[in-house]
Protein backbone atom coordinates (compact mmCIF):
# COMPACT_ATOMS: atom_id res chain seq x y z
CA UNK A 1 0.00 0.00 0.00
CA UNK A 2 2.77 2.38 0.91
CA UNK A 3 4.57 1.63 -2.30
CA UNK A 4 1.38 2.30 -4.25
CA UNK A 5 0.89 5.71 -2.66
CA UNK A 6 4.51 6.59 -3.29
CA UNK A 7 4.37 5.68 -6.93
CA UNK A 8 1.08 7.63 -7.26
CA UNK A 9 2.71 10.75 -5.76
CA UNK A 10 5.65 10.45 -8.11
CA UNK A 11 3.28 10.15 -11.02
CA UNK A 12 1.45 13.35 -9.92
CA UNK A 13 4.73 15.27 -9.74
CA UNK A 14 5.63 14.03 -13.17
CA UNK A 15 2.32 15.23 -14.51
CA UNK A 16 2.90 18.70 -13.00
CA UNK A 17 6.33 18.86 -14.57
CA UNK A 18 4.93 17.87 -17.93
CA UNK A 19 2.20 20.52 -17.56
CA UNK A 20 4.75 23.21 -16.80
CA UNK A 21 6.84 22.20 -19.80
CA UNK A 22 3.72 22.20 -21.91
CA UNK A 23 2.88 25.74 -20.81
CA UNK A 24 6.40 26.88 -21.66
CA UNK A 25 6.25 25.22 -25.02
CA UNK A 26 2.83 26.71 -25.60
CA UNK A 27 4.24 30.19 -25.12
CA UNK A 28 6.95 29.56 -27.65
CA UNK A 29 4.71 27.85 -30.14
CA UNK A 30 2.03 30.56 -30.05
CA UNK A 31 4.46 33.43 -30.21
CA UNK A 32 3.93 34.98 -33.64
CA UNK A 33 7.39 36.30 -34.40
CA UNK A 34 9.12 38.92 -32.22
CA UNK A 35 8.17 42.61 -32.19
CA UNK A 36 11.18 44.88 -31.69
CA UNK A 37 10.39 48.22 -30.06
CA UNK A 38 12.84 50.99 -29.25
CA UNK A 39 12.05 53.84 -26.87
CA UNK A 40 13.74 56.86 -25.37
CA UNK A 41 14.73 57.09 -21.72
CA UNK A 42 12.58 59.41 -19.59
CA UNK A 43 9.95 59.35 -22.31
CA UNK A 44 7.16 56.92 -23.29
CA UNK A 45 6.79 54.12 -25.80
CA UNK A 46 3.90 52.35 -27.50
CA UNK A 47 3.80 48.55 -27.84
CA UNK A 48 1.25 47.51 -30.45
CA UNK A 49 0.13 43.92 -31.02
CA UNK A 50 -2.35 42.54 -33.56
CA UNK A 51 -4.78 39.64 -33.22
CA UNK A 52 -6.96 37.56 -35.49
CA UNK A 53 -10.60 38.13 -36.28
CA UNK A 54 -13.00 36.65 -33.77
CA UNK A 55 -11.05 37.80 -30.73
CA UNK A 56 -12.39 41.36 -30.63
CA UNK A 57 -14.33 40.78 -27.41
CA UNK A 58 -11.61 38.81 -25.66
CA UNK A 59 -9.47 40.27 -22.91
CA UNK A 60 -6.00 41.48 -23.88
CA UNK A 61 -3.03 42.14 -21.63
CA UNK A 62 0.72 42.86 -21.43
CA UNK A 63 2.98 40.81 -19.20
CA UNK A 64 6.65 40.41 -18.50
CA UNK A 65 9.02 37.55 -17.76
CA UNK A 66 7.10 34.21 -17.66
CA UNK A 67 3.63 35.82 -17.63
CA UNK A 68 2.70 34.51 -14.17
CA UNK A 69 -0.08 36.26 -12.28
CA UNK A 70 2.39 38.69 -10.74
CA UNK A 71 3.94 39.40 -14.14
CA UNK A 72 0.76 40.81 -15.73
CA UNK A 73 1.24 44.58 -16.00
CA UNK A 74 -2.14 45.72 -17.40
CA UNK A 75 -5.34 44.29 -18.92
CA UNK A 76 -8.13 45.72 -21.07
CA UNK A 77 -10.55 45.07 -18.22
CA UNK A 78 -8.58 47.64 -16.22
CA UNK A 79 -7.03 49.95 -18.89
CA UNK A 80 -5.02 52.25 -16.58
CA UNK A 81 -2.51 50.96 -14.07
CA UNK A 82 0.31 53.12 -12.71
CA UNK A 83 2.63 53.93 -15.66
CA UNK A 84 0.73 51.68 -18.12
CA UNK A 85 -2.26 52.41 -20.39
CA UNK A 86 -3.91 50.01 -22.84
CA UNK A 87 -6.33 50.61 -25.71
CA UNK A 88 -8.01 48.01 -27.94
CA UNK A 89 -8.82 49.13 -31.48
CA UNK A 90 -11.30 46.41 -32.38
CA UNK A 91 -11.80 47.71 -35.89
CA UNK A 92 -8.10 47.41 -36.72
CA UNK A 93 -7.76 44.40 -34.36
CA UNK A 94 -4.71 46.00 -32.70
CA UNK A 95 -4.31 46.69 -29.01
CA UNK A 96 -1.64 49.16 -27.90
CA UNK A 97 0.03 49.47 -24.52
CA UNK A 98 1.73 52.76 -23.60
CA UNK A 99 4.57 52.66 -21.08
CA UNK A 100 5.56 56.09 -19.73
CA UNK A 101 8.45 57.40 -17.63
CA UNK A 102 10.86 54.88 -19.07
CA UNK A 103 14.02 53.90 -17.23
CA UNK A 104 16.77 51.43 -18.03
CA UNK A 105 15.08 48.71 -15.89
CA UNK A 106 12.09 48.82 -18.25
CA UNK A 107 14.15 47.41 -21.12
CA UNK A 108 13.80 43.68 -21.87
CA UNK A 109 11.26 41.05 -22.94
CA UNK A 110 7.46 41.51 -22.81
CA UNK A 111 4.47 39.44 -23.95
CA UNK A 112 1.26 40.61 -25.60
CA UNK A 113 -1.50 38.18 -24.56
CA UNK A 114 -5.04 37.41 -25.65
CA UNK A 115 -7.06 35.49 -23.04
CA UNK A 116 -9.05 32.54 -24.29
CA UNK A 117 -10.29 29.15 -23.08
CA UNK A 118 -7.44 26.72 -22.99
CA UNK A 119 -4.23 28.17 -24.32
CA UNK A 120 -3.77 32.01 -24.52
CA UNK A 121 -2.30 33.65 -27.60
CA UNK A 122 1.09 35.30 -27.03
CA UNK A 123 3.29 37.65 -29.05
CA UNK A 124 6.84 38.31 -27.92
CA UNK A 125 8.05 41.92 -27.65
CA UNK A 126 11.67 43.04 -27.21
CA UNK A 127 12.00 46.58 -25.80
CA UNK A 128 15.21 48.56 -26.26
CA UNK A 129 15.83 51.95 -24.67
CA UNK A 130 18.21 54.72 -25.88
CA UNK A 131 19.06 58.26 -24.89
CA UNK A 132 16.59 60.93 -26.01
CA UNK A 133 19.08 63.01 -28.01
CA UNK A 134 20.46 63.46 -31.51
CA UNK A 135 22.84 63.50 -33.32
CA UNK A 136 26.54 62.73 -33.79
CA UNK A 137 26.91 65.33 -36.55
CA UNK A 138 25.25 68.75 -36.80
CA UNK A 139 24.88 70.95 -39.88
CA UNK A 140 25.41 74.64 -39.04
CA UNK A 141 23.62 77.40 -40.96
CA UNK A 142 24.17 81.14 -40.52
CA UNK A 143 21.67 83.78 -41.63
CA UNK A 144 20.35 87.25 -40.76
CA UNK A 145 17.16 88.80 -39.45
CA UNK A 146 14.56 89.39 -42.14
CA UNK A 147 16.19 86.98 -44.57
CA UNK A 148 14.79 83.69 -45.93
CA UNK A 149 16.80 80.55 -45.25
CA UNK A 150 16.49 76.96 -46.52
CA UNK A 151 17.34 73.82 -44.54
CA UNK A 152 17.95 70.68 -46.64
CA UNK A 153 17.76 67.15 -45.20
CA UNK A 154 18.82 63.93 -46.96
CA UNK A 155 17.16 60.51 -46.61
CA UNK A 156 17.60 56.99 -47.99
CA UNK A 157 15.77 55.77 -51.07
CA UNK A 158 13.50 53.36 -49.16
CA UNK A 159 11.92 56.33 -47.39
CA UNK A 160 10.77 58.24 -50.48
CA UNK A 161 7.12 57.82 -49.56
CA UNK A 162 7.58 58.18 -45.82
CA UNK A 163 6.41 61.17 -43.82
CA UNK A 164 9.00 63.96 -43.50
CA UNK A 165 8.94 66.74 -40.92
CA UNK A 166 11.04 69.27 -39.02
CA UNK A 167 10.87 70.45 -35.41
CA UNK A 168 12.68 72.80 -33.04
CA UNK A 169 14.86 71.21 -30.35
CA UNK A 170 16.96 68.08 -30.09
CA UNK A 171 14.56 65.57 -28.52
CA UNK A 172 13.58 62.91 -31.07
CA UNK A 173 10.89 61.48 -28.79
CA UNK A 174 8.64 64.56 -29.14
CA UNK A 175 9.76 65.86 -32.54
CA UNK A 176 6.83 64.59 -34.58
CA UNK A 177 4.26 65.82 -32.06
CA UNK A 178 5.88 69.28 -32.10
CA UNK A 179 6.62 69.43 -35.83
CA UNK A 180 6.61 72.90 -37.41
CA UNK A 181 5.63 71.46 -40.77
CA UNK A 182 5.27 68.01 -42.38
CA UNK A 183 5.26 66.71 -45.95
CA UNK A 184 1.48 66.32 -45.60
CA UNK A 185 0.86 70.03 -44.95
CA UNK A 186 3.56 71.56 -47.23
CA UNK A 187 2.90 75.14 -46.01
CA UNK A 188 2.51 76.48 -42.49
CA UNK A 189 2.88 80.24 -42.05
CA UNK A 190 6.50 81.21 -42.64
CA UNK A 191 7.51 77.55 -43.21
CA UNK A 192 7.37 75.71 -46.55
CA UNK A 193 8.44 72.09 -47.25
CA UNK A 194 9.48 70.71 -50.65
CA UNK A 195 10.25 66.99 -51.11
CA UNK A 196 12.63 66.24 -53.99
CA UNK A 197 12.25 62.47 -54.21
CA UNK A 198 14.58 62.06 -57.16
CA UNK A 199 17.35 63.76 -55.18
CA UNK A 200 16.25 62.01 -51.96
CA UNK A 201 16.19 65.36 -50.20
CA UNK A 202 13.50 67.47 -48.58
CA UNK A 203 13.96 71.22 -48.04
CA UNK A 204 12.31 73.45 -45.45
CA UNK A 205 12.33 77.20 -46.18
CA UNK A 206 11.87 79.69 -43.34
CA UNK A 207 10.85 83.18 -44.43
CA UNK A 208 11.37 86.48 -42.58
CA UNK A 209 13.80 85.13 -40.01
CA UNK A 210 13.79 86.60 -36.51
CA UNK A 211 15.99 86.13 -33.46
CA UNK A 212 13.41 83.66 -32.10
CA UNK A 213 14.19 81.28 -34.99
CA UNK A 214 17.76 80.59 -33.88
CA UNK A 215 18.53 77.28 -32.22
CA UNK A 216 18.55 73.53 -32.86
CA UNK A 217 16.34 71.78 -35.41
CA UNK A 218 15.71 68.11 -36.21
CA UNK A 219 14.81 66.82 -39.68
CA UNK A 220 12.77 63.63 -39.24
CA UNK A 221 11.78 60.73 -41.51
CA UNK A 222 9.10 58.46 -40.08
CA UNK A 223 9.68 54.69 -39.83
CA UNK A 224 6.76 52.57 -38.67
CA UNK A 225 8.82 49.57 -37.59
CA UNK A 226 11.50 51.41 -35.63
CA UNK A 227 12.61 54.80 -34.41
CA UNK A 228 12.38 57.65 -36.90
CA UNK A 229 15.54 58.76 -38.69
CA UNK A 230 16.85 62.20 -37.75
CA UNK A 231 19.48 64.70 -38.83
CA UNK A 232 20.42 67.75 -36.77
CA UNK A 233 20.71 71.40 -37.86
CA UNK A 234 21.95 74.39 -35.86
CA UNK A 235 20.60 77.72 -37.13
CA UNK A 236 22.25 81.00 -36.14
CA UNK A 237 20.33 84.21 -36.82
CA UNK A 238 22.45 87.34 -36.62
CA UNK A 239 21.19 90.87 -36.21
CA UNK A 240 20.79 92.48 -39.61
CA UNK A 241 23.05 95.51 -39.77
CA UNK A 242 24.89 97.57 -42.29
CA UNK A 243 28.42 96.86 -43.40
CA UNK A 244 28.62 100.26 -45.07
CA UNK A 245 26.84 103.31 -43.70
CA UNK A 246 27.03 107.03 -44.51
CA UNK A 247 25.60 110.25 -43.11
CA UNK A 248 24.86 113.11 -45.48
CA UNK A 249 23.66 116.68 -44.91
CA UNK A 250 21.79 118.53 -47.67
CA UNK A 251 20.11 121.92 -48.09
CA UNK A 252 16.53 122.51 -49.16
CA UNK A 253 16.30 123.68 -52.75
CA UNK A 254 19.80 122.53 -53.69
CA UNK A 255 20.97 119.46 -55.66
CA UNK A 256 22.52 116.42 -53.99
CA UNK A 257 24.41 113.35 -55.20
CA UNK A 258 24.32 109.99 -53.35
CA UNK A 259 27.17 107.56 -54.02
CA UNK A 260 26.58 103.79 -53.76
CA UNK A 261 29.43 101.25 -54.10
CA UNK A 262 28.91 97.66 -55.30
CA UNK A 263 31.17 94.62 -55.82
CA UNK A 264 32.68 94.07 -59.28
CA UNK A 265 30.67 90.89 -59.89
CA UNK A 266 27.47 92.93 -59.68
CA UNK A 267 28.37 95.28 -62.51
CA UNK A 268 25.52 93.96 -64.67
CA UNK A 269 23.01 93.65 -61.82
CA UNK A 270 20.05 95.97 -61.45
CA UNK A 271 20.93 98.85 -59.11
CA UNK A 272 18.37 100.33 -56.76
CA UNK A 273 17.72 103.12 -54.25
CA UNK A 274 14.83 102.93 -51.82
CA UNK A 275 13.69 104.82 -48.74
CA UNK A 276 12.53 103.39 -45.39
CA UNK A 277 13.64 102.84 -41.82
CA UNK A 278 14.09 99.11 -42.52
CA UNK A 279 14.81 97.34 -45.77
CA UNK A 280 11.62 95.28 -45.42
CA UNK A 281 9.59 98.51 -45.60
CA UNK A 282 11.84 100.16 -48.17
CA UNK A 283 10.08 101.87 -51.10
CA UNK A 284 11.82 102.31 -54.46
CA UNK A 285 12.05 106.03 -55.34
CA UNK A 286 14.17 105.95 -58.50
CA UNK A 287 10.96 106.28 -60.52
CA UNK A 288 10.49 109.85 -59.25
CA UNK A 289 11.56 112.57 -61.67
CA UNK A 290 13.80 114.34 -59.13
CA UNK A 291 15.90 111.19 -58.65
CA UNK A 292 18.18 110.06 -61.45
CA UNK A 293 20.29 106.89 -61.19
CA UNK A 294 23.59 107.14 -63.05
CA UNK A 295 25.92 104.18 -63.55
CA UNK A 296 29.61 104.17 -64.25
CA UNK A 297 30.91 101.08 -65.98
CA UNK A 298 34.53 101.95 -65.25
CA UNK A 299 34.09 102.20 -61.47
CA UNK A 300 32.65 100.07 -58.68
CA UNK A 301 29.90 102.49 -57.69
CA UNK A 302 26.82 104.18 -59.05
CA UNK A 303 25.33 107.55 -58.12
CA UNK A 304 21.84 108.92 -57.61
CA UNK A 305 21.39 112.63 -58.37
CA UNK A 306 18.61 114.54 -56.64
CA UNK A 307 17.90 117.70 -58.65
CA UNK A 308 16.22 119.71 -55.89
CA UNK A 309 16.10 118.66 -52.26
CA UNK A 310 12.86 118.95 -50.30
CA UNK A 311 12.36 118.91 -46.55
CA UNK A 312 10.46 115.61 -46.85
CA UNK A 313 13.53 113.96 -48.43
CA UNK A 314 15.18 113.59 -45.01
CA UNK A 315 15.33 110.01 -43.72
CA UNK A 316 16.96 106.61 -44.26
CA UNK A 317 17.87 105.35 -47.73
CA UNK A 318 19.19 101.99 -48.94
CA UNK A 319 21.09 101.42 -52.13
CA UNK A 320 22.74 98.33 -53.56
CA UNK A 321 23.00 95.83 -56.38
CA UNK A 322 21.81 92.55 -54.82
CA UNK A 323 18.12 91.65 -54.78
CA UNK A 324 18.81 89.04 -52.08
CA UNK A 325 20.09 91.74 -49.71
CA UNK A 326 23.15 89.79 -48.70
CA UNK A 327 25.45 91.49 -46.22
CA UNK A 328 28.11 93.60 -47.86
CA UNK A 329 26.14 94.33 -51.02
CA UNK A 330 24.17 97.36 -49.88
CA UNK A 331 24.68 100.77 -48.24
CA UNK A 332 22.56 102.61 -45.69
CA UNK A 333 22.43 106.42 -46.02
CA UNK A 334 21.17 108.74 -43.31
CA UNK A 335 20.13 112.00 -45.00
CA UNK A 336 19.58 115.20 -43.01
CA UNK A 337 18.00 118.18 -44.77
CA UNK A 338 18.39 121.77 -43.49
CA UNK A 339 17.35 125.23 -44.70
CA UNK A 340 19.93 127.73 -46.03
CA UNK A 341 21.15 129.93 -43.14
CA UNK A 342 23.84 132.05 -44.85
CA UNK A 343 25.09 133.05 -48.30
CA UNK A 344 28.34 131.11 -48.34
CA UNK A 345 28.53 128.28 -50.84
CA UNK A 346 29.70 125.56 -48.46
CA UNK A 347 29.24 122.07 -49.97
CA UNK A 348 27.35 119.39 -48.08
CA UNK A 349 29.46 117.10 -45.91
CA UNK A 350 29.64 113.31 -45.88
CA UNK A 351 30.59 111.37 -42.74
CA UNK A 352 32.13 107.95 -43.39
CA UNK A 353 32.52 105.71 -40.32
CA UNK A 354 36.13 104.69 -39.86
CA UNK A 355 37.55 107.46 -42.10
CA UNK A 356 38.99 110.86 -41.26
CA UNK A 357 38.34 114.06 -43.19
CA UNK A 358 41.79 113.86 -44.76
CA UNK A 359 40.88 110.47 -46.25
CA UNK A 360 37.80 111.86 -47.99
CA UNK A 361 39.52 113.45 -50.99
CA UNK A 362 36.48 114.36 -53.01
CA UNK A 363 33.49 115.32 -50.90
CA UNK A 364 32.05 117.09 -53.89
CA UNK A 365 31.28 113.72 -55.53
CA UNK A 366 28.64 113.17 -52.86
CA UNK A 367 27.07 116.67 -52.65
CA UNK A 368 27.70 119.84 -54.61
CA UNK A 369 25.76 123.04 -55.17
CA UNK A 370 26.29 126.75 -56.10
CA UNK A 371 24.36 129.94 -55.43
CA UNK A 372 22.40 130.99 -58.57
CA UNK A 373 23.59 134.30 -60.20
CA UNK A 374 20.15 135.89 -59.85
CA UNK A 375 20.17 135.21 -56.11
CA UNK A 376 23.65 136.75 -55.86
CA UNK A 377 22.48 139.87 -57.74
CA UNK A 378 19.47 140.24 -55.47
CA UNK A 379 21.69 140.00 -52.41
CA UNK A 380 23.99 142.74 -53.79
CA UNK A 381 21.03 145.04 -54.47
CA UNK A 382 19.75 144.38 -51.00
CA UNK A 383 23.16 145.23 -49.52
CA UNK A 384 23.23 148.56 -51.44
CA UNK A 385 19.75 149.45 -50.22
CA UNK A 386 20.71 148.66 -46.66
CA UNK A 387 23.83 150.84 -47.01
CA UNK A 388 21.86 153.81 -48.39
CA UNK A 389 19.26 153.51 -45.66
CA UNK A 390 21.92 153.50 -43.01
CA UNK A 391 23.70 156.49 -44.65
CA UNK A 392 20.46 158.52 -44.90
CA UNK A 393 19.62 157.73 -41.31
CA UNK A 394 23.06 158.96 -40.24
CA UNK A 395 22.53 162.30 -42.09
CA UNK A 396 19.10 162.73 -40.52
CA UNK A 397 20.55 162.10 -37.10
CA UNK A 398 23.23 164.75 -37.75
CA UNK A 399 20.59 167.31 -38.85
CA UNK A 400 18.53 166.64 -35.77
CA UNK A 401 21.61 167.17 -33.59
CA UNK A 402 22.34 170.56 -35.33
CA UNK A 403 18.77 171.64 -34.79
CA UNK A 404 18.95 170.71 -31.18
CA UNK A 405 22.13 172.75 -30.80
CA UNK A 406 20.49 175.81 -32.42
CA UNK A 407 17.48 175.37 -30.21
CA UNK A 408 19.72 175.30 -27.17
CA UNK A 409 21.43 178.61 -28.26
CA UNK A 410 18.05 180.24 -28.85
CA UNK A 411 16.85 179.07 -25.49
CA UNK A 412 19.88 180.58 -23.80
CA UNK A 413 19.24 183.91 -25.61
CA UNK A 414 15.62 183.90 -24.53
CA UNK A 415 16.63 183.20 -20.97
CA UNK A 416 19.13 186.06 -21.05
CA UNK A 417 16.60 188.53 -22.47
CA UNK A 418 14.01 187.40 -19.96
CA UNK A 419 16.46 187.94 -17.16
CA UNK A 420 17.19 191.52 -18.38
CA UNK A 421 13.47 192.20 -18.59
CA UNK A 422 13.09 191.04 -15.04
CA UNK A 423 15.79 193.47 -13.92
CA UNK A 424 14.14 196.37 -15.84
CA UNK A 425 10.76 195.52 -14.35
CA UNK A 426 12.22 195.74 -10.89
CA UNK A 427 13.58 199.27 -11.63
CA UNK A 428 10.24 200.34 -13.01
CA UNK A 429 8.46 199.06 -9.95
CA UNK A 430 10.91 200.88 -7.67
CA UNK A 431 10.48 204.07 -9.72
CA UNK A 432 6.73 203.68 -9.75
CA UNK A 433 6.67 203.28 -6.02
CA UNK A 434 8.76 206.41 -5.68
CA UNK A 435 6.56 208.47 -8.01
CA UNK A 436 3.49 207.19 -6.25
CA UNK A 437 4.85 208.43 -2.91
CA UNK A 438 5.56 211.83 -4.40
CA UNK A 439 2.12 212.04 -5.93
CA UNK A 440 0.54 211.04 -2.69
CA UNK A 441 2.47 213.88 -0.96
CA UNK A 442 1.34 216.29 -3.60
CA UNK A 443 -2.20 214.99 -3.25
CA UNK A 444 -2.11 215.64 0.43
CA UNK A 445 -1.00 219.16 -0.18
CA UNK A 446 -3.80 219.64 -2.66
CA UNK A 447 -6.29 218.32 -0.17
CA UNK A 448 -5.08 220.80 2.37
CA UNK A 449 -5.66 223.59 -0.08
CA UNK A 450 -9.13 222.46 -0.94
CA UNK A 451 -10.65 221.82 2.44
CA UNK A 452 -12.68 225.03 2.17
CA UNK A 453 -14.66 225.39 -0.97
CA UNK A 454 -12.80 227.88 -3.07
CA UNK A 455 -14.39 230.62 -4.92
CA UNK A 456 -14.17 229.81 -8.58
CA UNK A 457 -13.26 233.23 -9.36
CA UNK A 458 -10.34 233.15 -6.99
CA UNK A 459 -8.85 229.79 -8.19
CA UNK A 460 -5.12 230.10 -8.29
CA UNK A 461 -2.62 228.44 -10.64
CA UNK A 462 -1.21 226.28 -7.82
CA UNK A 463 -4.52 224.54 -7.33
CA UNK A 464 -4.85 223.74 -11.02
CA UNK A 465 -1.33 222.30 -11.09
CA UNK A 466 -2.03 220.02 -8.13
CA UNK A 467 -5.16 218.67 -9.74
CA UNK A 468 -3.31 217.97 -12.93
CA UNK A 469 -0.56 216.00 -11.15
CA UNK A 470 -3.13 214.02 -9.25
CA UNK A 471 -4.92 212.96 -12.40
CA UNK A 472 -1.67 212.08 -14.07
CA UNK A 473 -0.64 209.96 -11.12
CA UNK A 474 -3.95 208.14 -11.23
Amino acid sequence: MFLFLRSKAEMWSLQNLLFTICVALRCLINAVGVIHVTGYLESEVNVSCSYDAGYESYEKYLCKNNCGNSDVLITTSKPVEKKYRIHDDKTARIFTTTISDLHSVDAGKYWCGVTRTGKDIYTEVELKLVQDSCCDTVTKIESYEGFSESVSCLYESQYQNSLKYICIGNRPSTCLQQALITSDTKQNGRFRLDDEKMSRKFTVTINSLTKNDLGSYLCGVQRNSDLDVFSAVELEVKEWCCVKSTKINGTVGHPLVLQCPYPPQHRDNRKFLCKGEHRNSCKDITSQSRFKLEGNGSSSSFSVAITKLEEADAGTYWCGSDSQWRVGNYTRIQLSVVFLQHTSTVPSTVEMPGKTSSQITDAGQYVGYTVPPLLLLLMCVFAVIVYKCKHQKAKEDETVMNRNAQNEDALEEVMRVAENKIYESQDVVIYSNKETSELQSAGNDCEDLGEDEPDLENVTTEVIYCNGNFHNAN
Side-chain angles (χ1 to χ4, degrees):
M1 185 71 179
F2 177 75
L3 292 174
F4 174 77
L5 291 175
R6 181 178 177 184
S7 79
K8 189 175 181 178
E10 289 177 352
M11 184 179 294
W12 182 257
S13 298
L14 180 61
Q15 289 178 349
N16 287 337
L17 178 61
L18 292 174
F19 177 78
T20 302
I21 294 173
C22 180
V23 170
L25 290 174
R26 181 194 64 182
C27 292
L28 295 175
I29 293 171
N30 288 280
V32 183
V34 178
I35 300 175
H36 294 276
V37 178
T38 305
Y40 296 101
L41 290 170
E42 300 180 359
S43 183
E44 66 179 26
V45 69
N46 293 323
V47 178
S48 297
C49 301
S50 61
Y51 54 86
D52 295 333
Y55 293 100
E56 288 85 354
S57 60
Y58 285 65
E59 184 183 54
K60 288 86 179 178
Y61 58 90
L62 182 72
C63 61
K64 199 174 184 181
N65 300 324
N66 293 326
C67 281
N69 291 333
S70 60
D71 295 327
V72 176
L73 303 173
I74 192 169
T75 66
T76 52
S77 58
K78 190 177 181 181
V80 179
E81 184 71 29
K82 296 180 182 179
K83 59 190 290 183
Y84 304 96
R85 301 189 310 273
I86 193 170
H87 171 70
D88 185 8
D89 185 350
K90 295 180 181 180
T91 301
R93 297 197 304 275
I94 296 175
F95 69 94
T96 302
T97 303
T98 302
I99 308 173
S100 59
D101 191 24
L102 290 170
H103 294 82
S104 56
V105 294
D106 295 319
K109 183 184 294 185
Y110 291 81
W111 298 93
C112 289
V114 178
T115 302
R116 67 176 180 175
T117 303
K119 299 181 293 183
D120 291 350
I121 302 174
Y122 292 94
T123 303
E124 184 180 355
V125 178
E126 187 69 32
L127 177 60
K128 179 183 177 182
L129 298 178
V130 297
Q131 294 292 331
D132 189 10
S133 61
C134 180
C135 298
D136 295 336
T137 60
V138 178
T139 301
K140 294 187 177 181
I141 300 176
E142 182 180 286
S143 190
Y144 296 86
E145 284 183 301
F147 283 40
S148 295
E149 195 61 49
S150 296
V151 178
S152 296
C153 309
L154 299 174
Y155 58 84
E156 297 179 4
S157 59
Q158 65 266 32
Y159 302 122
Q160 285 185 351
N161 298 321
S162 298
L163 181 72
K164 288 88 175 178
Y165 56 94
I166 189 171
C167 67
I168 295 179
N170 57 2
R171 292 191 63 187
S173 62
T174 58
C175 188
L176 181 58
Q177 291 81 0
Q178 300 176 356
L180 298 170
I181 190 173
T182 69
S183 55
D184 289 341
T185 56
K186 299 292 185 181
Q187 182 79 37
N188 183 18
R190 296 184 297 115
F191 298 87
R192 187 183 76 251
L193 191 148
D194 299 313
D195 188 4
E196 303 175 22
K197 295 183 179 181
M198 295 299 296
S199 302
R200 299 194 303 276
K201 176 180 67 175
F202 71 92
T203 303
V204 178
T205 302
I206 309 174
N207 297 313
S208 302
L209 285 172
T210 68
K211 283 282 190 175
N212 294 330
D213 294 323
L214 63 84
S216 300
Y217 290 78
L218 288 180
C219 298
V221 178
Q222 190 178 50
R223 294 193 302 179
N224 295 325
S225 60
D226 203 347
L227 292 178
D228 293 351
V229 181
F230 294 97
S231 57
V233 176
E234 187 73 23
L235 175 61
E236 182 180 2
V237 180
K238 293 185 177 181
E239 182 180 359
W240 191 80
C241 62
C242 291
V243 173
K244 293 179 287 292
S245 181
T246 64
K247 292 182 179 180
I248 300 179
N249 300 322
T251 305
V252 173
H254 291 266
L256 181 69
V257 176
L258 306 178
Q259 202 74 14
C260 302
Y262 61 85
Q265 62 269 25
H266 289 177
R267 181 167 298 173
D268 297 328
N269 288 16
R270 176 185 174 273
K271 316 303 188 299
F272 66 90
L273 175 72
C274 60
K275 183 180 181 182
E277 290 301 320
H278 195 275
R279 69 176 187 86
N280 289 339
S281 59
C282 196
K283 183 179 180 181
D284 194 341
I285 60 172
T286 53
S287 59
Q288 299 183 20
S289 58
R290 294 188 301 110
F291 295 81
K292 184 179 180 182
L293 193 147
E294 300 174 348
N296 189 345
S298 61
S299 66
S300 59
S301 66
F302 68 94
S303 61
V304 178
I306 308 175
T307 56
K308 188 178 180 181
L309 271 180
E310 297 178 359
E311 184 180 3
D313 292 333
T316 304
Y317 292 81
W318 308 88
C319 62
S321 58
D322 183 9
S323 60
Q324 298 298 321
W325 290 88
R326 282 184 283 266
V327 175
N329 295 325
Y330 58 88
T331 301
R332 180 174 63 182
I333 301 173
Q334 294 286 355
L335 174 60
S336 300
V337 178
V338 298
F339 289 92
L340 184 65
Q341 300 294 332
H342 50 78
T343 60
S344 62
T345 59
V346 180
S348 300
T349 60
V350 180
E351 298 180 10
M352 299 290 290
K355 293 186 178 181
T356 62
S357 58
S358 61
Q359 292 174 307
I360 304 176
T361 59
D362 189 10
Q365 65 178 337
Y366 292 94
V367 182
Y369 64 88
T370 58
V371 178
L374 180 59
L375 180 60
L376 182 60
L377 178 61
L378 291 176
M379 288 190 291
C380 293
V381 172
F382 178 74
V384 171
I385 294 173
V386 171
Y387 173 76
K388 287 185 177 181
C389 290
K390 290 185 176 181
H391 182 68
Q392 182 65 26
K393 189 174 184 302
K395 291 179 64 177
E396 290 177 356
D397 292 343
E398 184 178 358
T399 303
V400 171
M401 291 178 63
N402 292 336
R403 289 177 181 175
N404 290 338
Q406 292 175 1
N407 290 337
E408 289 179 359
D409 294 341
L411 181 61
E412 290 179 0
E413 181 65 22
V414 170
M415 293 296 294
R416 185 177 60 77
V417 172
E419 185 178 359
N420 292 337
K421 292 294 184 178
I422 291 173
Y423 292 152
E424 290 177 359
S425 297
Q426 289 179 349
D427 292 342
V428 170
V429 170
I430 293 172
Y431 175 76
S432 298
N433 291 336
K434 182 178 180 182
E435 291 294 327
T436 302
S437 299
E438 290 179 352
L439 288 175
Q440 288 179 351
S441 296
N444 291 333
D445 293 340
C446 291
E447 290 177 359
D448 291 340
L449 291 176
E451 288 180 355
D452 297 329
E453 293 183 0
D455 187 2
L456 293 177
E457 296 180 356
N458 299 322
V459 175
T460 61
T461 304
E462 183 178 4
V463 174
I464 295 171
Y465 175 78
C466 289
N467 289 334
N469 291 337
F470 180 76
H471 286 291
N472 291 332
N474 291 332

